[in-house]
Amino acid sequence: MADLVHGPASFSTQANALLRKNFTFQKRDIKSNIRLISVPIILCLLLVFLQNWVNKELDKPWNRCGCKCVGKNDEGKCEEVCGIEYSDLNQAVSCSIPSPLEWPPLLQIPESTYRAVKTDFISYEDLPDDSCKISGSCPATTLLTGTNKTLGESMGRNLFSSGSTVDYSDIFYSLAYNALGSESQTKYLNFLEAAFFSNLTVYNVRSQCSPYFTFSLPLEFGSVSVQQEISCVKGLHLWRNSSHEINDELHKGYRNGNPERKINEIIAAYDFLNSNRNGFNVTIWYNSSYKNGKSNQPLALTRVPRSVNLASNAYMQDLLGPSARMLFEFVKEMPKPETKLNLDFASLLGPLFFTWVVSQLFPVVLIALVYEKQQKLRIMMKMHGLGDGPYWLISYAYFLFVASIYMLCFVIFGSLVGLKFFLLNDYAIQFVFYFIYINLQESLAFLVAAFFSNVQAATVIGYIMVFANGLLSSFLFQFFLQDETFSRGWIIVMELYPGFSLFRGFYEFSQYAFKGNYLGTDGMRWKDLSDGKNGMKEVLIIMLVQWLVFLFLGYYVDQIASSGKDPLCFMWHSRKRPSPSSRKHSFRRQGSKVFVQMEKPDIAQERERVEQLLESSTGHAVICDNLEKVYPGKDGNPEKFAVRGLSLALPQGECFGMLGPNGAGKTTFINMMIGLIKPSSGTAYAQGMDIRTDMDMIYTNMGVCPQHDLLWEILTGREHLLFYGRLKNLKGADLTQAVEESLKSVNLFHGGVADKKAGKYSGGMKRRLSVAISLIGDPKVVYMDEPSTGLDPSSRSNLWNVVKRAKQDRAIILTTHSMEEAEHLCDRLGIFVDGSLQCIGNPKELKARYGGSYVFTMTTSSDNEEEVEHMVRRLSPNANRIYHLSGTQKFELPKQEVRIADVFQAVEKAKSRFTVYAWGLADTTLEDVFIKVAHTAQAFNVLS
Ligand SMILES: *[C@@H]1O[C@H](CO)[C@@H](O)[C@H](O)[C@H]1NC(C)=O
Ligand SMILES: *[C@@H]1O[C@H](CO)[C@@H](O)[C@H](O)[C@H]1NC(C)=O
Ligand SMILES: *[C@@H]1O[C@H](CO)[C@@H](O)[C@H](O)[C@H]1NC(C)=O
Ligand SMILES: *[C@@H]1O[C@H](CO)[C@@H](O)[C@H](O)[C@H]1NC(C)=O
């Protein structure tokens, strides 16, 4: 084995190289940095702006306490009247109310379509017929029970009076005799009784209703005056044998509990228990589920006192006679001071915006990873010795670092602009939540990146996901979150999707912040995690577990993908492969059988040399042993042999040139040698290490100049070389020196070219940089795939000098289409046609072997063509015309038949007879050899 100048780079050296490269890359990538930073700033500012706007709107005169918008003036602005205590229900919430109003106590009456009637699922005959629903005249029912039926029924009769006339001078007093009720729902606060401000009817509940009964009540409440229409509803009381029966009946009539959606609701039910003349004992059923909109508080409590009063009155009348009464005139709220109306709008909108802000990191990581994959930079780095371990560790840590900085800026900025979302919730919980989530997101990006090979696709999908995440979360998922009846189990299932768990976390934060702001308390604290309704704990657990799972999966898939297989392959098949040794054997035999018949002596000799070398195991730089690559046939096409049984040995210090027409398999060969694809059979050894198994070791001592330049568009030439130099374990002064020499040698040093971005380089400059990269760090084996394509002549000769100097102590395999280059650089050449070598040898040998003729060219007027031909035939009877066009003719003259002096004489003679415009005699060039070999080989292949 050849001695190594530097050992392979250690883990930390590789990590350091990659880290520095990543930082430089980040620094350079100004556009995406700006985008990254600006999104949270813009969204935060937008929130602040919206919050201010909301605050301003809330502060508009008609929202302000004591003012009211009474109409629009000509300009469409509000004409306001101020100086009143409060003007409507909305204002009542926040305005000071020093002397609350008095309201008649009301009963909660079921809506007329829901009132209890006879149905097939409740078997009581005493309920009214459901025909009443059509006319809307269904009575409102109360249910009674108790130990003494006689007493109970008699009290029932007293519940609702037949009504007495209203004394308009003292309405409240009269109403104490006439129970009022409403179908409306109560509000949070009861400064204003909602019944008088809704367009629903207010009922007078009577034991009998005369048809067309209505009357109108003029009500004065402070500055508010209402003319209230009152209708009649019949109050029905029905006896039940026990409280069980009542429970059963109520349960069956309940809106949600009833599958047939037939609903039987009642006003209230009374159980008089053991009441008798000596004592009054009663329990009352009332419906506490009447709600205001989405809030979960039971609101009907304010309608309960009247039903208690009714029962007490009934008992007293039973005891003392019909005139006995406990008068219940009004209810009123406690006085209260003004509270500032504020709505933490930012916290409510926050989850959507913040979901966008945080998930924005996902495409960033994804794109960076896919970019390195698409540009084949990952494999390029690997080929120059970057191990998978350092790559993973540094890439992961690096993106985590970027994400952490990003989140830190985000939280600090949000706090600075005063968003309650950040200020009120415990920073420690926020930290844990963000930390786990960015890890989860990153490992997900690593996993997903394995399935993309195109940056554009990744970008589009990545950003669509960001937007969809936010929108789906806040318009679908939030809806489920707020729906109490939606199963918590399903919520957890939905949270398995990371976008939803992120949103859930933000949602909880925002709920706590909103509440904290509203009530003037703290947001979420650690102790709140144990709160059953707080989803934060489950979210944290889910995310933590997913993070670990994705990380493992991502690594696994990456390993499979980087070993050249399809990441999904384990899903559809696990092909059994023969073990390497048995495979080698069988193919060896098969191979020799095939090639023995048609192999040329030089190829066979090379094969023998390889076999000897393999046995003696003397160190050659590169040994290919019957290397073969077969692409399986697709869509009914036969298998394609890209490389068939190639044997080749290269000592140190040799440059081997591979010539061949396009599609001959040269690049496939190089790709096998550099580990991009696995050989189908056979193997090769570089520095004594097997390409099938020791690729990682080979990489540390190998240089590659791929056919297409694999460069980071925004890194400079110098940065490329520094990075690859570090990967090759160059350090300190050595590194700087190597990089400078390298830059000078490929003519990229002067004029600041070295510090220009590679994306701005011309094609030739990129090419030269690629060559410089392949040579940095003194690799022992270098592969160059058409290194000089697209170079101008002067850069090309520069490049040749570089390669010539470089080949002294290393083996170089290069493919080229330029014969000049091959002749100039290579010690040996092989012509490769249809996957196998046709000949091998140094350029002179080849020319001698294949080109045993001169090429004679002469241009005359077309009249003299025949004479020229005669002349040539005289010189050499076996001459062969290979080209003929309007007076210009080319002949091949076998060398053994002609002497050059004869040719000159013949031409002199000819000149005296007719005009010769031009003539020439040339030895065969390599080009002629190439064409000849390629043609014969292809012709042979067509024949066979
Ligand atoms: C039931 O109530 C009635 C009327 O109040 C009373 O006369 C009767 O004694 C009571 N019956 C029992 C068993 O207490
Ligand atoms: C209630 O009790 C009375 C008298 O005991 C009985 O006639 C009636 O069937 C009972 N009602 C039900 C629904 O059980
Ligand atoms: C109680 O009120 C709720 C909400 O309005 C309604 O869905 C339910 O059916 C009512 N239940 C009864 C027994 O009236
Ligand atoms: C009222 O009824 C309850 C339930 O049946 C009973 O526990 C309680 O002793 C009764 N109270 C009186 C004063 O009878």
Side-chain angles (χ1 to χ4, degrees):
M1 182 174 294
D3 51 55
L4 306 178
V5 181
H6 329 273
S10 67
F11 190 93
S12 61
T13 313
Q14 294 181 28
N16 173 40
L18 186 59
L19 194 62
R20 280 163 181 260
K21 184 226 80 186
N22 279 351
F23 274 125
T24 322
F25 191 84
Q26 190 78 34
K27 208 171 66 194
R28 281 291 151 67
D29 198 2
I30 297 169
K31 235 193 301 175
S32 58
N33 283 339
I34 290 179
R35 194 175 50 212
L36 200 59
I37 301 279
S38 58
V39 167
I41 292 188
I42 289 175
L43 288 180
C44 278
L45 289 178
L46 189 63
L47 274 186
V48 171
F49 170 77
L50 282 175
Q51 176 72 65
N52 285 340
W53 178 76
V54 167
N55 288 348
K56 222 171 115 201
E57 278 303 303
L58 286 179
D59 201 34
K60 283 276 161 67
W62 51 92
N63 284 325
R64 220 178 280 153
C65 289
C67 292
K68 185 181 183 179
C69 187
V70 291
K72 305 254 161 157
N73 63 12
D74 305 341
E75 293 157 39
K77 282 193 178 159
C78 219
E79 251 181 82
E80 54 179 285
V81 179
C82 290
I84 48 180
E85 218 169 77
Y86 43 79
S87 49
D88 56 29
L89 281 169
N90 292 335
Q91 290 200 358
V93 176
S94 61
C95 291
S96 110
I97 305 194
S99 48
L101 297 175
E102 296 168 355
W103 299 98
L106 300 181
L107 284 171
Q108 185 73 49
I109 308 284
E111 285 171 47
S112 63
T113 47
Y114 298 146
R115 287 177 200 155
V117 290
K118 234 180 277 180
T119 61
D120 40 5
F121 63 94
I122 294 173
S123 57
Y124 293 106
E125 287 303 318
D126 47 3
L127 284 163
D129 199 76
D130 70 355
S131 59
C132 68
K133 292 217 166 162
I134 297 158
S135 59
S137 62
C138 289
T141 308
T142 53
L143 299 176
L144 311 172
T145 186
T147 47
N148 188 336
K149 185 175 176 181
T150 327
L151 180 71
E153 290 203 312
S154 131
M155 286 207 293
R157 280 190 292 276
N158 296 338
L159 273 181
F160 303 109
S161 67
S162 56
S164 58
T165 50
V166 175
D167 174 1
Y168 289 93
S169 63
D170 193 347
I171 292 170
F172 278 72
Y173 180 78
S174 326
L175 286 181
Y177 291 90
N178 292 283
L180 294 189
S182 169
E183 295 172 355
S184 69
Q185 298 183 344
T186 50
K187 302 272 177 191
Y188 270 121
L189 303 153
N190 298 286
F191 315 113
L192 304 174
E193 167 57 77
F196 298 101
F197 297 90
S198 68
N199 39 20
L200 293 169
T201 335
V202 173
Y203 292 103
N204 185 357
V205 193
R206 297 179 167 222
S207 53
Q208 278 308 325
C209 278
S210 51
Y212 316 117
F213 167 102
T214 53
F215 64 95
S216 178
L217 274 185
L219 297 168
E220 289 278 339
F221 305 115
S223 58
V224 191
S225 53
V226 186
Q227 188 72 27
Q228 184 65 52
E229 294 292 320
I230 311 273
S231 320
C232 178
V233 64
K234 182 178 167 181
L236 199 63
H237 60 92
L238 300 173
W239 181 262
R240 297 289 177 253
N241 281 354
S242 70
S243 59
H244 302 295
E245 286 177 13
I246 293 185
N247 278 341
D248 186 49
E249 189 173 344
L250 292 184
H251 177 73
K252 282 183 182 158
Y254 200 87
R255 259 181 242 177
N256 287 338
N258 178 358
E260 285 157 75
R261 294 268 149 203
K262 284 193 184 154
I263 295 142
N264 268 12
E265 294 182 1
I266 60 159
I267 301 180
Y270 300 94
D271 185 351
F272 294 116
L273 301 162
N274 57 350
S275 302
N276 53 31
R277 300 195 65 85
N278 304 322
F280 181 47
N281 201 359
V282 65
T283 42
I284 302 179
W285 284 264
Y286 69 93
N287 188 349
S288 68
S289 348
Y290 280 100
K291 294 177 196 165
N292 174 26
K294 282 186 185 145
S295 102
N296 297 324
Q297 276 116 320
L299 297 165
L301 271 173
T302 46
R303 303 253 166 99
V304 175
R306 189 48 154 155
S307 61
V308 181
N309 172 255
L310 284 184
S312 319
N313 270 336
Y315 178 70
M316 281 185 56
Q317 282 171 30
D318 202 60
L319 212 60
L320 305 173
S323 58
R325 278 280 194 292
M326 285 198 288
L327 288 185
F328 186 14
E329 283 192 36
F330 59 82
V331 288
K332 76 183 226 180
E333 285 262 339
M334 298 272 198
K336 70 172 183 79
E338 180 177 342
T339 44
K340 194 160 166 35
L341 187 61
N342 64 356
L343 181 67
D344 188 7
F345 187 68
S347 288
L348 292 184
L349 204 58
L352 171 62
F353 281 27
F354 300 156
T355 304
W356 277 334
V357 168
V358 177
S359 45
Q360 201 213 169
L361 285 170
F362 178 73
V364 170
V365 179
L366 185 66
I367 289 166
L369 291 173
V370 175
Y371 177 79
E372 295 205 327
K373 203 167 126 187
Q374 177 195 303
Q375 306 287 82
K376 300 220 168 62
L377 289 162
R378 167 84 196 275
I379 193 78
M380 184 76 179
M381 291 190 280
K382 197 169 174 180
M383 286 186 298
H384 287 89
L386 179 67
D388 282 335
Y391 178 79
W392 261 80
L393 185 79
I394 292 301
S395 302
Y396 192 86
Y398 174 72
F399 287 121
L400 185 62
F401 172 77
V402 172
S404 309
I405 297 277
Y406 175 80
M407 291 306 302
L408 205 64
C409 292
F410 171 55
V411 174
I412 291 178
F413 186 78
S415 306
L416 285 183
V417 294
L419 291 179
K420 294 281 186 289
F421 184 94
F422 299 106
L423 293 172
L424 290 181
N425 291 311
D426 192 338
Y427 280 110
I429 308 183
Q430 294 190 51
F431 173 80
V432 171
F433 175 70
Y434 299 142
F435 182 77
I436 296 184
Y437 184 74
I438 55 180
N439 273 297
L440 165 61
Q441 185 165 260
E442 200 185 321
S443 46
L444 184 64
F446 271 77
L447 175 60
V448 173
F451 300 93
F452 281 100
S453 50
N454 179 302
V455 170
Q456 255 116 35
T459 313
V460 172
I461 304 259
Y463 280 102
I464 286 182
M465 261 178 80
V466 170
F467 278 95
N469 247 355
L471 297 179
L472 276 183
S473 307
S474 68
F475 295 108
L476 183 79
F477 184 59
Q478 182 165 8
F479 175 77
F480 288 132
L481 280 183
Q482 287 170 342
D483 183 355
E484 289 273 301
T485 59
F486 192 75
S487 142
R488 296 292 105 179
W490 280 112
I491 297 258
I492 291 190
V493 170
M494 291 175 82
E495 279 167 4
L496 292 181
Y497 175 65
F500 286 156
S501 55
L502 173 69
F503 184 84
R504 179 73 190 271
F506 279 136
Y507 176 78
E508 296 299 345
F509 278 138
S510 79
Q511 290 296 305
Y512 274 88
F514 183 79
K515 212 170 71 189
N517 182 52
Y518 190 75
L519 303 173
T521 57
D522 285 335
M524 197 187 295
R525 290 286 172 272
W526 282 111
K527 62 174 169 18
D528 296 320
L529 287 193
S530 49
D531 178 357
K533 285 205 166 155
N534 186 351
M536 187 55 94
K537 193 168 63 182
E538 58 209 48
V539 165
L540 288 180
I541 294 173
I542 290 176
M543 295 198 313
L544 191 68
V545 172
Q546 276 185 329
W547 165 25
L548 299 176
V549 171
F550 285 159
L551 198 60
F552 170 77
L553 275 183
Y555 185 74
Y556 175 71
V557 169
D558 182 75
Q559 286 299 301
I560 291 183
S562 69
S563 65
K565 280 182 246 160
D566 190 300
L568 292 175
C569 73
F570 62 93
M571 289 170 123
W572 48 73
H573 60 82
S574 54
R575 209 181 338 164
K576 268 199 190 140
R577 290 164 165 274
S579 71
S581 62
S582 70
R583 188 155 42 114
K584 188 168 160 183
H585 243 53
S586 62
F587 275 101
R588 171 70 59 86
R589 248 185 288 120
Q590 189 189 359
S592 47
K593 209 161 68 193
V594 173
F595 287 105
V596 155
Q597 304 136 4
M598 52 185 237
E599 228 164 42
K600 311 199 173 43
D602 46 349
I603 312 293
Q605 196 188 335
E606 185 75 12
R607 188 178 295 281
E608 253 163 46
R609 195 156 77 103
V610 166
E611 265 160 40
Q612 273 165 19
L613 282 172
L614 283 177
E615 269 147 39
S616 65
S617 75
T618 28
H620 255 53
V622 177
I623 302 174
C624 300
D625 176 20
N626 214 356
L627 199 60
E628 193 159 281
K629 180 72 194 175
V630 186
Y631 290 110
K634 270 188 192 153
D635 307 325
N637 291 325
E639 293 185 323
K640 180 173 171 14
F641 283 81
V643 175
R644 356 182 162 216
L646 179 73
S647 288
L648 187 67
L650 246 73
Q652 206 71 253
E654 182 177 295
C655 174
F656 180 81
M658 209 159 211
L659 305 177
N662 291 324
K666 292 169 298 182
T667 303
T668 309
F669 165 66
I670 298 256
N671 284 349
M672 277 194 282
M673 294 304 289
I674 61 182
L676 281 186
I677 50 179
K678 295 251 176 228
S680 312
S681 75
T683 185
Y685 302 89
Q687 300 285 106
M689 288 168 288
D690 193 326
I691 60 163
R692 289 172 310 184
T693 49
D694 304 324
M695 216 55 224
D696 288 344
M697 274 305 293
I698 295 176
Y699 283 145
T700 62
N701 226 349
M702 184 179 94
V704 178
C705 170
Q707 193 170 30
H708 304 285
D709 302 301
L710 306 182
L711 303 170
W712 283 274
E713 299 265 293
I714 58 173
L715 292 189
T716 66
R718 189 193 299 278
E719 284 157 358
H720 274 95
L721 289 170
L722 281 171
F723 170 60
Y724 287 112
R726 285 195 189 101
L727 279 187
K728 286 276 152 68
N729 208 13
L730 289 170
K731 285 188 184 129
D734 282 352
L735 178 65
T736 340
Q737 198 193 343
V739 168
E740 284 202 356
E741 274 173 12
S742 173
L743 283 170
K744 276 181 192 149
S745 71
V746 293
N747 225 350
L748 285 175
F749 187 70
H750 298 287
V753 192
D755 298 308
K756 271 210 310 203
K757 290 183 187 172
K760 298 238 162 72
Y761 281 9
S762 68
M765 286 154 90
K766 283 186 185 166
R767 214 64 210 127
R768 269 151 33 202
L769 179 58
S770 292
V771 170
I773 289 175
S774 71
L775 291 175
I776 195 146
D778 213 15
K780 289 295 158 219
V781 180
V782 177
Y783 302 94
M784 295 184 177
D785 205 353
E786 299 181 16
S788 66
T789 5
L791 289 190
D792 63 85
S794 84
S795 341
R796 196 163 60 164
S797 78
N798 255 327
L799 189 83
W800 287 352
N801 287 339
V802 177
V803 177
K804 253 188 180 163
R805 238 178 294 139
K807 82 177 178 190
Q808 266 146 30
D809 49 355
R810 58 178 61 96
I812 298 180
I813 293 185
L814 70 82
T815 71
T816 181
H817 283 303
S818 150
M819 300 304 138
E820 209 184 340
E821 178 168 284
E823 228 175 331
H824 204 96
L825 292 179
C826 301
D827 304 303
R828 280 204 303 161
L829 291 175
I831 298 180
F832 205 62
V833 182
D834 278 332
S836 53
L837 275 177
Q838 299 302 322
C839 60
I840 191 165
N842 72 39
K844 281 211 189 81
E845 274 169 21
L846 287 185
K847 272 195 275 187
R849 196 175 329 145
Y850 289 92
S853 52
Y854 295 113
V855 175
F856 177 75
T857 318
M858 183 168 262
T859 309
T860 59
S861 71
S862 24
D863 308 336
N864 304 113
E865 274 178 16
E866 255 177 58
E867 271 185 80
V868 174
E869 200 177 338
H870 284 310
M871 179 193 83
V872 173
R873 293 267 176 261
R874 268 196 308 277
L875 272 173
S876 148
N878 288 321
N880 177 20
R881 189 162 72 174
I882 53 175
Y883 179 83
H884 172 211
L885 188 79
S886 62
T888 302
Q889 302 180 79
K890 237 182 200 183
F891 299 90
E892 246 179 19
L893 315 177
K895 273 187 183 166
Q896 63 272 24
E897 282 185 8
V898 286
R899 288 189 315 138
I900 296 180
D902 294 344
V903 178
F904 274 82
Q905 268 174 9
V907 171
E908 283 308 312
K909 247 192 253 162
K911 271 183 177 170
S912 59
R913 277 184 287 133
F914 50 85
T915 336
V916 174
Y917 298 132
W919 73 282
L921 182 69
D923 202 349
T924 21
T925 57
L926 202 52
E927 204 164 324
D928 299 323
V929 174
F930 176 77
I931 293 171
K932 206 162 172 181
V933 171
H935 277 177
T936 18
Q938 273 162 352
F940 177 79
N941 280 343
V942 170
L943 283 178
S944 60

